[in-house]
Amino acid sequence: MMRASFFLLHTLLITALTANSQFGHLEGTITDQERKPIVGATIKLPDLQRGAVTRSDGTFSIRNIPAGRHRIEVSAIGYDRYLSTITITAGKTEQFRIILRQASIESQAVEVTATRRLQEQTDTRTSVLTVDPREAKYKAGGIEDVFRTLQNLPGVTAPSDFSSQLVIRGSGPDQNLILLDNIELFNPYRLYGFISLFNPETVSSISLLTGGFPAQYGDRLSAVLDVRNRDGLTDKGYITGKLNVNITNANVITEGALPFWNGSWLLSSRRTYYDLIAGPILRATGAVDGDVALPNFRDLQLKLTLAPATGHRISATVLTSRDNTEFTSGVSRKTADSVSIVDRSYNDAYGLTWQWTPSRSFVSNVGLSYYANYGANSFGGVGGSAQLNSSADGGPLSNEDFKRLQDSLRQAGVDVPTLFSVRGESGFRFQKTSLKLDNSYQLDSLHTLDFGLQQDWLYTAVTAYFDFDPRLKALRASNPSAPPLPESVEQGINYFRSGLYAQDRWRVLEQLTVTIGARFDYYALLQKGYLAPRLSASYALSPTTTLRAAWGIYYQSPGYEKLFDQQVFLDLTSDNVRSLRAERAVHNIIGIEHQLSRQWLFRVEGYYKGFSDLILPKVVQGTIWKVEKIPGLPDSLYRTRDGWTQPVATIGDSLTTIPVNSATGESYGIELFLQKFPEASNSGLYGWVAYSFAFANRFRDGLAIPFNFDRRHTLSIVGGYRISENLDLSFTFTYGSGFPWTYPVGIKPRIVQVRNPETGQVEAKIDTDWRGVVFDVDRGSLANINRGRLPDYHRLDVRLTTYTNWFGWRWSWYLDVINVYNRQNVIGVFYRVNRETLELLERRSTMLPILPTVGFSVTF
């Protein structure tokens, strides 16, 4: 594939040499009235639907502009818009320098549309998706969450309605690098992954790189999500604010100017409060006992920005949050099953960045950060009453029915059944201190050099104790996809990571730009270093059409902090870790982007990712127990212990917690993206259509196993329409073919290992109750994993937003309906055995039903 990538670049070079262009270029600087650079200002050529965004030093460049006169628009938040015309001469570069004046601007929510900044043709990065933060707030069905907006972009999907995790191009969520103000976050979720920690009211930019990302990013195989919080608004003085309230949470944002050093501040706080409403109701009904805190979170974010001197900018970021759950089933509960959970987790991040711009051609960013994700939980309970239910519905037994069953069996002199029991405690702490240096130097008109380094000091620790009922252990053993879980663990490791990178964006020819880079990482945990070369190119076929390609090698080190997303436990303290190699991926990407008109943009992109040295639990030959039917007996006897042989120990595969490089993989596909930009008047239809056709497989032990999130077809239609000046309609439709699923191959007697009270030895025996042999669902061996498919998924969400002005404040009110037609999307299929017929009875677990929510926002 590397040879193919170099052949592509060679072809682009030859094409560029033979091209005859009549284009010129535009370069310039945008500053404020104090001659300070304005970062993020937008420069547009509306007649060509071209544009650029200023860099950290206020500079910009737009290449390959057709010769002639063109309108130009310059805008930035907090400044008056600039309108003019420019004349472009073929073969020349025009210089453009503008000073913007500050103005008092009222940001109106009605301006929220499905917009995407056009990527400059000299930008060689492939697979770049940029989202306006306001889309996350007003997107139908998005629950005002950044991650749920990203899930409708090409190449991205969600594990389920209940998760905000990102599955990108056949890779797991653990393979995504997630940054907030250049601080790596290990656990960017709230409410057990239901929403993300990013507050759409405070975010200034959201960039998702779904593949082929450049050398400044490391230690991840799949994608990069780079989120930046905005500075506080200063146009309304020292303080202004906004309040958002809906049926689940409240969000307060305050911000303003600092009275010194030309600075600003931004403070936000969120809290869910449905636990305060639902908790008393549950206690009153007897469903829970004592104090209860249903899953809830609270967070606080602060950003300070200072400009103490020309060429210097200092920013500080603070994030602190807590998730909490306390739940104990009441003694007067209706069901026989019960559960007790106490769970608390915390996320704290502190970052300090100094940006130094000594000249127009050089920008340096120095960042120091500390991040900690830690928590503890305890749990316990009894369950499995559905196993005792002989009714057709197969649900859990009520407390009354279970006690009645126990009494009747006790009177008959039969062993009284008990429910499964489980209890345990666990804790974790993941912390990282990081020092980063990123530099950008424009060597000349043809070369821009980016280089830097990163040093991370990490401490990760996990503790756990589990006590499972023997029957529950047998149930787990019957499922080959169940991850290994130790009964007790107490591990902590200190280590460091070091990284260096450099790349040159080289303007080879008028239409051709090439970025050549490399990254070197040293992982102290593995005591190994890795060199990762990367190459990308862009070729301007025309002023409205750009061809891009990328190739690169990527590495990812093991770590407890990554196991959160992977949902598996591996022992990283043993000597086996020293023999591990970092996981490896090779990206090959090619795509073309074409601006159909001023309002329409189309992109198609194909990719192939090859994985090697993937780390999985080691499979060893262990002891498994088998029984056989005694031949020649009536069928009725097979429901009793007399119809089966004694359990016999045999050699079979057994999963451990030992990590090994035991798998490879591949993912490939094609993605289509069509976007309609809003009209200048913010009227009409806007939005996008994204379609992906993809394959994702893993290979281990001679088996080809479909990846858990191997979704063949994904279609998203996201849009909105301005019905009137004060009323917006937005909608989101999502379709996805079914995820892989492991279906059962039959049933088998449950074999439990119990201690003989007389001999003290652990013995294996067939589990029985008053009805005879207890049967478990047999899901086969490793070869049966993910051989089936769940039903297709589809959902329609609709949102109505209206705007008013009361008391001189700007208000917006909304009604958001998730899953409008109440589609029963299946998240999993579960089975129990009919004890009379020995048939499998199926029960499907579904995702979110129709769910209307209401809320409002007010700016004061």
Side-chain angles (χ1 to χ4, degrees):
M1 297 302 296
M2 182 175 180
R3 180 180 300 175
S5 300
F6 280 112
F7 175 76
L8 172 63
L9 293 178
H10 178 72
T11 302
L12 293 177
L13 181 61
I14 296 301
T15 305
L17 286 170
T18 58
N20 179 23
S21 63
Q22 292 296 323
F23 303 109
H25 315 302
L26 179 64
E27 295 180 350
T29 305
I30 310 300
T31 62
D32 61 17
Q33 290 170 297
E34 297 180 357
R35 298 300 192 272
K36 295 178 180 179
I38 299 176
V39 183
T42 301
I43 300 92
K44 294 182 180 179
L45 303 176
D47 296 335
L48 303 175
Q49 199 65 42
R50 298 281 306 281
V53 177
T54 55
R55 309 178 185 96
S56 57
D57 60 352
T59 63
F60 72 93
S61 64
I62 304 176
R63 318 295 291 183
N64 299 325
I65 303 172
R69 291 179 61 83
H70 305 282
R71 289 189 300 141
I72 186 169
E73 299 177 3
V74 181
S75 61
I77 295 176
Y79 296 89
D80 286 334
R81 189 170 60 160
Y82 176 87
L83 302 175
S84 184
T85 60
I86 58 171
T87 301
I88 299 297
T89 303
K92 293 185 178 181
T93 299
E94 303 295 335
Q95 297 297 320
F96 185 79
R97 292 178 175 83
I98 289 298
I99 298 173
L100 296 185
R101 295 185 304 173
Q102 286 191 340
S104 177
I105 298 176
E106 179 179 0
S107 178
Q108 298 186 9
V110 295
E111 294 177 356
V112 175
T113 55
T115 60
R116 172 176 171 268
R117 290 174 176 167
L118 292 176
Q119 192 174 348
E120 177 60 35
Q121 289 188 298
T122 57
D123 186 348
T124 65
R125 296 176 303 166
T126 58
S127 312
V128 178
L129 299 168
T130 303
V131 174
D132 189 323
R134 295 171 297 177
E135 293 174 24
K137 178 173 174 57
Y138 292 95
K139 172 181 170 291
I143 320 178
E144 299 194 0
D145 181 60
V146 170
F147 277 26
R148 289 182 178 270
T149 301
L150 298 174
Q151 289 172 348
N152 291 106
L153 293 173
V156 187
T157 189
S160 73
D161 286 353
F162 305 114
S163 176
S164 64
Q165 292 178 309
L166 304 178
V167 176
I168 298 175
R169 289 182 172 177
S171 296
D174 63 298
Q175 296 176 352
N176 302 326
L177 175 62
I178 298 175
L179 303 169
L180 174 63
D181 286 346
N182 219 18
I183 303 172
E184 179 185 2
L185 303 180
F186 300 146
N187 178 12
Y189 310 106
R190 294 290 178 268
L191 303 179
Y192 301 95
F194 188 74
I195 62 174
S196 73
L197 63 79
F198 298 111
N199 187 340
E201 292 287 357
T202 65
V203 170
S204 66
S205 65
I206 306 168
S207 296
L208 178 64
L209 287 71
T210 58
F213 45 90
Q216 62 259 45
Y217 302 110
D219 201 31
R220 287 302 190 278
L221 295 183
S222 176
V224 175
L225 175 61
D226 195 344
V227 179
R228 302 298 173 104
N229 273 340
R230 63 180 175 85
D231 297 337
L233 297 178
T234 60
D235 54 285
K236 293 187 178 181
Y238 295 125
I239 185 169
T240 184
K242 189 171 188 178
L243 171 66
N244 300 309
V245 176
N246 57 40
I247 63 173
T248 62
N249 68 83
N251 183 8
V252 180
I253 305 95
T254 55
E255 56 192 311
L258 290 173
F260 53 87
W261 278 2
N262 190 25
S264 67
W265 63 278
L266 173 67
L267 178 66
S268 70
S269 179
R270 293 186 297 174
R271 192 202 192 281
T272 56
Y273 53 77
Y274 55 80
D275 57 305
L276 304 178
I277 300 173
I281 297 175
L282 292 174
R283 283 196 298 270
T285 60
V288 297
D289 280 339
D291 294 333
V292 60
L294 297 178
N296 65 89
F297 80 87
R298 63 190 69 178
D299 67 11
L300 182 145
Q301 295 190 51
L302 170 67
K303 185 170 184 180
L304 298 175
T305 304
L306 304 172
T310 303
H312 297 270
R313 185 176 185 270
I314 299 173
S315 62
T317 298
V318 176
L319 164 67
T320 179
S321 69
R322 187 189 79 165
D323 284 65
N324 183 41
T325 298
E326 297 177 23
F327 187 94
T328 302
S329 300
V331 294
S332 58
R333 65 188 183 278
K334 294 183 178 180
T335 63
D337 300 345
S338 69
V339 64
S340 175
I341 298 174
V342 177
D343 189 5
R344 295 183 180 92
S345 62
Y346 303 85
N347 264 291
D348 296 325
Y350 308 93
L352 185 65
T353 301
W354 170 43
Q355 183 183 89
W356 179 44
T357 311
S359 69
R360 183 175 177 271
S361 59
F362 185 81
V363 179
S364 180
N365 286 275
V366 181
L368 178 65
S369 64
Y370 171 82
Y371 172 70
N373 176 215
Y374 54 97
N377 69 74
S378 61
F379 59 92
V382 294
S385 67
Q387 302 282 331
L388 307 176
N389 194 345
S390 58
S391 64
D393 58 26
L397 288 174
S398 68
N399 239 337
E400 182 180 347
D401 288 341
F402 181 61
K403 292 178 179 178
R404 186 183 299 114
L405 173 64
Q406 287 182 312
D407 290 341
S408 63
L409 293 176
R410 189 177 291 111
Q411 293 174 3
V414 179
D415 290 340
V416 176
T418 59
L419 301 180
F420 303 152
S421 65
V422 60
R423 63 188 181 94
E425 298 177 353
S426 66
F428 66 94
R429 185 175 186 89
F430 309 141
Q431 67 183 42
K432 179 173 74 74
T433 302
S434 182
L435 177 64
K436 299 182 69 175
L437 174 63
D438 298 290
N439 302 296
S440 181
Y441 177 47
Q442 187 171 344
L443 185 62
D444 52 37
S445 60
L446 299 179
H447 295 271
T448 301
L449 304 179
D450 296 310
F451 55 96
L453 58 85
Q454 179 174 349
Q455 181 68 39
D456 300 327
W457 295 269
L458 296 100
Y459 172 73
T460 59
V462 291
T463 60
Y465 165 75
F466 303 111
D467 184 10
F468 294 121
D469 186 287
R471 293 166 294 175
L472 193 57
K473 292 181 181 179
L475 282 173
R476 285 179 54 84
S478 66
N479 187 352
S481 60
L485 199 61
E487 294 188 2
S488 65
V489 60
E490 185 172 352
Q491 300 175 358
I493 49 177
N494 277 291
Y495 59 101
F496 66 87
R497 301 181 308 201
S498 303
L500 299 168
Y501 75 89
Q503 63 185 25
D504 177 19
R505 189 173 69 171
W506 176 26
R507 190 69 182 275
V508 181
L509 295 168
E510 202 64 37
Q511 287 87 8
L512 179 64
T513 304
V514 176
T515 299
I516 303 173
R519 181 182 182 90
F520 178 80
D521 288 286
Y522 179 78
Y523 304 130
L525 185 64
L526 303 179
Q527 296 183 356
K528 296 179 178 69
Y530 295 90
L531 180 65
R534 299 176 191 180
L535 180 67
S536 60
S538 65
Y539 178 68
L541 297 171
S542 74
T544 58
T545 307
T546 307
L547 178 66
R548 292 186 176 92
W551 171 89
I553 296 178
Y554 301 83
Y555 292 98
Q556 178 167 316
S557 65
Y560 286 128
E561 76 281 358
K562 300 181 179 76
L563 300 183
F564 177 88
D565 277 322
Q566 200 173 352
Q567 296 295 300
V568 68
F569 177 79
L570 297 173
D571 184 356
L572 300 179
T573 62
S574 67
D575 293 337
N576 296 311
V577 176
R578 298 290 180 263
S579 62
L580 286 177
R581 299 177 300 277
E583 296 179 308
R584 184 176 186 267
V586 180
H587 293 198
N588 300 270
I589 304 168
I590 186 170
I592 190 168
E593 183 176 85
H594 177 61
Q595 192 173 332
L596 301 171
S597 68
R598 294 180 57 185
Q599 300 298 325
W600 290 92
L601 179 73
F602 175 74
R603 189 179 83 180
V604 59
E605 196 165 83
Y607 67 91
Y608 178 88
K609 291 196 297 187
F611 302 95
S612 58
D613 291 331
L614 295 179
I615 298 174
L616 293 177
K618 184 177 182 180
V619 178
V620 299
Q621 289 189 337
T623 300
I624 62 174
W625 300 91
K626 288 188 176 182
V627 295
E628 301 288 344
K629 285 184 177 181
I630 298 175
L633 298 179
D635 289 343
S636 59
L637 281 182
Y638 295 126
R639 298 184 180 88
T640 70
R641 176 67 189 83
D642 296 334
W644 300 86
T645 63
Q646 291 288 342
V648 176
T650 61
I651 296 176
D653 291 339
S654 177
L655 288 176
T656 68
T657 60
I658 300 173
V660 290
N661 298 106
S662 61
T664 60
E666 65 178 7
S667 64
Y668 52 94
I670 188 169
E671 299 164 359
L672 307 178
F673 187 69
L674 177 65
Q675 184 165 16
K676 169 66 165 59
F677 293 99
E679 303 288 345
S681 60
N682 285 325
S683 61
L685 180 69
Y686 57 86
W688 72 78
V689 178
Y691 170 74
S692 301
F693 178 63
F695 295 80
N697 295 293
R698 300 293 183 265
F699 307 102
R700 62 171 301 180
D701 302 319
L703 301 172
I705 300 174
F707 182 56
N708 291 341
F709 305 112
D710 172 38
R711 173 163 276 173
R712 195 71 66 242
H713 303 277
T714 305
L715 173 67
S716 295
I717 304 175
V718 179
Y721 185 78
R722 174 71 66 83
I723 298 175
S724 67
E725 182 179 354
N726 294 316
L727 185 63
D728 271 359
L729 169 68
S730 61
F731 54 88
T732 302
F733 175 77
T734 305
Y735 168 83
S737 52
F739 283 138
W741 188 253
T742 304
Y743 283 96
V745 297
I747 65 173
K748 59 183 179 182
R750 177 187 301 161
I751 300 175
V752 295
Q753 297 185 58
V754 297
R755 190 173 300 279
N756 188 315
E758 297 180 358
T759 65
Q761 300 294 318
V762 176
E763 299 176 351
K765 71 171 188 177
I766 294 179
D767 195 22
T768 58
D769 61 19
W770 79 98
R771 296 172 295 183
V773 172
V774 177
F775 291 92
D776 282 337
V777 176
D778 184 2
R779 295 186 180 270
S781 63
L782 290 174
N784 192 50
I785 293 178
N786 288 348
R787 296 304 169 190
R789 292 275 172 174
L790 293 175
D792 290 354
Y793 173 100
H794 51 88
R795 195 181 93 185
L796 174 65
D797 307 323
V798 175
R799 173 175 173 141
L800 278 173
T801 306
T802 185
Y803 310 95
T804 58
N805 282 286
W806 290 351
F807 315 112
W809 295 346
R810 179 71 174 174
W811 299 72
S812 67
W813 306 80
Y814 73 86
L815 168 65
D816 194 353
V817 183
I818 296 175
N819 197 2
V820 171
Y821 51 83
N822 200 27
R823 162 75 175 180
Q824 301 297 300
N825 289 303
V826 177
I827 192 175
V829 184
F830 305 94
Y831 295 86
R832 68 183 185 94
V833 180
N834 185 314
R835 296 294 293 273
E836 301 299 325
T837 64
L838 299 187
E839 295 177 333
L840 288 174
L841 302 178
E842 178 183 289
R843 178 178 63 85
R844 297 189 172 193
S845 180
T846 57
M847 303 186 214
L848 289 176
I850 183 171
L851 182 63
T853 62
V854 294
F856 71 88
S857 297
V858 55
T859 302
F860 54 88

